[in-house]
Amino acid sequence: MKLRAPLTIQQLLFAVGAALLLTFAGRAQDVIITTDNQQRAVKVIGVSPSGQTLEFFVGQGKLGLPLSSVKEVRMNPPAEYVQGITAYQAKDFPKSLSLIQAVAAKFKGMPNPWAQQATSMLGELYIATNDLQKAETAYADFKRLYPNGGSLQSEVGLSRLAVANKDYDKAKQKLEPITEAALKEKVVTPANAVAYSQAFLVSGEVKEATGNLPGALEDYLRTVTLFYYDRVAVASAQEHADALRAAHPDVTVP
């Protein structure tokens, strides 16, 4: 009888990982994908206070992975995130800030769309609650935590800060390279999608504030119809477009 060759360490690890995935898939809600494309079914706790480790439960045990080794986390957003978005859309900015702060404190840096969105919203919410110094710090923090998409979104955020300070020239300087690139990009990459949505919204606000109403309407509608990747930005752009049309029914897209 021919003996089977012993398993290598890599094969053993793969087998154990597959067994764990099957064992806990029914119980765990979340999936971690590491940079070597391995998947783990877990229950995510959050990012450690140091910001270096993603903590989670597997079965009854608490484990952690270096955040730098995590490529993606598939996880439904917590109730606080949904409530924070709802409060934002209702213009209850203090309530939204409190909820989104709690989400960002627990999950910021985690590679996940809603965690990134919550972290990016902090700057905007600080502006809405008239805390511009904290807004600037929040945008810098976001850029550090999400260097891929975060860099572009941070620039859009700083343009919001310029608008809040009524420095429309500075806002325009930051936005124009982003909106020009967006219009040239045939296929929008996930890393840039949300930034493009937000950029046209803020560009519309700048144009409206400086009297370019047709251009403002065009940019609002670009967020709504072309760059609709950020639902918060889309809702805000639609609201701006409706208000502009109601106040100036003769204004049309150029």
Side-chain angles (χ1 to χ4, degrees), residues 51-114:
Q52 302 297 313
T53 305
L54 181 66
E55 298 177 335
F56 52 89
F57 286 115
V58 176
Q60 300 301 313
K62 180 180 176 182
L63 299 174
L65 279 175
L67 204 55
S68 59
S69 70
V70 179
K71 178 181 178 182
E72 180 185 353
V73 176
R74 294 175 184 170
M75 175 184 179
N76 291 328
E80 292 87 351
Y81 174 78
V82 178
Q83 293 163 5
I85 295 293
T86 301
Y88 177 90
Q89 292 175 333
K91 299 190 184 302
D92 188 346
F93 299 124
K95 180 179 179 180
S96 180
L97 177 59
S98 177
L99 290 161
I100 295 299
Q101 272 180 325
V103 175
K106 191 173 181 181
F107 297 105
K108 65 181 181 180
M110 188 174 80
N112 168 281
W114 57 258

Side-chain angles (χ1 to χ4, degrees), residues 3-209:
L3 294 175
R4 184 176 177 180
L7 294 175
T8 65
I9 292 176
Q10 289 80 3
Q11 289 171 325
L12 282 169
L13 286 174
F14 179 82
V16 171
L20 284 172
L21 187 61
L22 290 172
T23 302
F24 298 114
R27 288 183 280 172
Q29 309 177 36
D30 315 321
V31 175
I32 295 173
I33 303 174
T34 53
T35 51
D36 59 356
N37 292 318
Q38 298 296 310
Q39 295 191 18
R40 297 186 184 189
V42 303
K43 179 65 180 124
V44 170
I45 301 168
V47 177
S48 65
S50 69
Q52 302 297 313
T53 305
L54 181 66
E55 298 177 335
F56 52 89
F57 286 115
V58 176
Q60 300 301 313
K62 180 180 176 182
L63 299 174
L65 279 175
L67 204 55
S68 59
S69 70
V70 179
K71 178 181 178 182
E72 180 185 353
V73 176
R74 294 175 184 170
M75 175 184 179
N76 291 328
E80 292 87 351
Y81 174 78
V82 178
Q83 293 163 5
I85 295 293
T86 301
Y88 177 90
Q89 292 175 333
K91 299 190 184 302
D92 188 346
F93 299 124
K95 180 179 179 180
S96 180
L97 177 59
S98 177
L99 290 161
I100 295 299
Q101 272 180 325
V103 175
K106 191 173 181 181
F107 297 105
K108 65 181 181 180
M110 188 174 80
N112 168 281
W114 57 258
Q116 180 168 339
Q117 175 78 348
T119 310
S120 75
M121 283 181 68
L122 285 177
E124 185 177 350
L125 285 165
Y126 283 129
I127 290 173
T129 53
N130 202 33
D131 197 337
L132 302 188
Q133 186 172 357
K134 283 188 178 178
E136 188 169 6
T137 301
Y139 286 130
D141 195 34
F142 176 69
K143 185 175 181 178
R144 175 182 60 81
L145 291 165
Y146 295 97
N148 293 329
S151 180
L152 209 57
Q153 277 183 261
S154 182
E155 285 299 294
V156 177
L158 292 173
S159 75
R160 289 184 190 274
L161 196 58
V163 170
N165 287 318
K166 301 189 184 303
D167 190 345
Y168 300 116
D169 287 338
K170 183 176 180 179
K172 187 177 178 182
Q173 288 171 4
K174 288 187 173 296
L175 290 167
E176 281 187 343
I178 299 172
T179 55
E180 288 173 4
L183 293 172
K184 292 176 183 177
E185 200 166 301
K186 293 182 179 180
V187 178
V188 177
T189 62
N192 295 338
V194 172
Y196 288 165
S197 297
Q198 297 172 355
F200 282 104
L201 167 62
V202 183
S203 179
E205 292 172 345
V206 170
K207 289 177 181 178
E208 185 171 4

